[in-house]
Amino acid sequence: MMHTTLLPWHAPFFAQWHAQPNRAHAYLLVAPEDTGGEALLHHLAASVLCEHPTKTHEPCHQCAGCNMLAAYSHPDLRVIRPSMLDINHPIEELRPEKPSKLITIDDVRELANMVNQTSHRGGTRVVLVYPAHKLNLNAANALLKTLEEPPPHTLFILLAHDVKQLLPTIVSRCQRVNLPAPATHDAVDYLTAHYGANPNWAHYLIQENGAVQRVAELHDTAYFKLQDAFVNELAHGKHMDALKLAEQFDKHIKDADKSRLAGEPHIVSMSTVMTWLQRWLHDALLVAQHVAEPRYYAAHASALNKLTTHAPETFVTRAHAWQYALSQEQRSSEHPLNNRTWLEKLLLQYTQLF
Ligand SMILES: [Zn+2]
């Protein structure tokens, strides 16, 4: 396993966290999606489980604790996350038989065995839970019980992107910390250091709302090309061929599902397409109301201008209503009955706004 890393934009928090005189028994870190929150959780765990950390609390990568962590076999660490994330786990026995997109009661139940025993290495036991909003209700209730009667010498660190989707009782049991998305220049520096210079870094980051890990994962796939092709079609407004676009993207989504099973990055899903549509609409509304420059698709500013200048007077009102309806629909976009029918419906509704 590669060693855990501390991303530069988390360094101030990491130092502060270790400087606390008294540690809470449970933390809830709230970070925007794909900004490296998971890496921070693992690095915090590594720094706690290391038996000879450096003065700056970095793991030594040499002690028994660090070696067991690197071999995925530290007895005092539990990682509770949707089993779907382990389908390509480097250790074959740790791959799930029935991958789930949610954290289930079985994932949490296993925890009871661990916390009822004494620590194997005599130190703190660490339980990481992410993303915590993927706990299903039974799992959330089981975790809550453990948090209400915290076992000794056990540190819980939860990560969530959206606190509103968590049980309030879980939130109130944790010390909450909000972590910001990295500043664009920090994220550009990071991407340049790891993937080389690219004139599009800042542009990609803005388009992806600062989700630096997502940009890192997708920059050399067809993702940004597909997104451009999609919004270029949206720019045609009422003249867009909604059925053809739905057919094309239904196929792209199917292809992406196949490549994901082969262990490649999942470049496009129904949820991705809905996010693009929402961001485009967000920008169209900004431009139509002369409120601000486009937030996500600045490169398409003139297309957005042209589109909204020719839109009917009722556009703003109807687009607002539709935007709300879309956000409601997005909640179920992970498991649509039929992507193509759904896409056709949404894209036809879109053309009717103009
Ligand atoms: Zn160590």
Side-chain angles (χ1 to χ4, degrees), residues 280-296:
W280 176 263
L281 199 63
H282 177 92
D283 278 357
L285 278 165
L286 287 180
V287 172
Q289 297 170 100
H290 309 286
V291 183
E293 296 295 306
R295 172 171 167 194
Y296 302 104

Side-chain angles (χ1 to χ4, degrees), residues 238-316:
K238 67 178 171 189
H239 302 297
M240 176 181 95
D241 189 340
L243 299 184
K244 191 172 148 209
L245 190 60
E247 186 189 346
Q248 285 170 353
F249 274 80
D250 175 51
K251 187 174 177 302
H252 290 314
I253 291 170
K254 283 191 181 124
D255 290 347
D257 284 345
K258 276 183 222 149
S259 3
R260 175 166 66 172
L261 290 176
E264 287 164 34
H266 193 213
I267 59 169
V268 58
S269 66
M270 190 64 201
S271 173
T272 323
V273 174
M274 289 191 64
T275 302
W276 297 343
L277 190 55
Q278 280 174 319
R279 289 181 179 165
W280 176 263
L281 199 63
H282 177 92
D283 278 357
L285 278 165
L286 287 180
V287 172
Q289 297 170 100
H290 309 286
V291 183
E293 296 295 306
R295 172 171 167 194
Y296 302 104
Y297 296 111
H300 299 264
S302 66
L304 282 160
N305 254 317
K306 200 173 144 205
L307 179 68
T308 51
T309 309
H310 295 102
E313 273 177 32
T314 55
F315 170 74
V316 170

Side-chain angles (χ1 to χ4, degrees), residues 1 61 75 87 93 120 126 165 174 193-195 201 207 212 224 247 281 291 300 306 322 325 345:
M1 179 195 171
H61 302 312
I87 52 173
E93 294 86 74
H120 289 260
V126 183
Q165 292 182 43
C174 300
H194 288 80
Y195 305 96
W201 286 140
Q207 213 162 301
V212 56
F224 287 100
E247 186 189 346
L281 199 63
V291 183
H300 299 264
K306 200 173 144 205
W322 195 57
K345 186 190 86 172

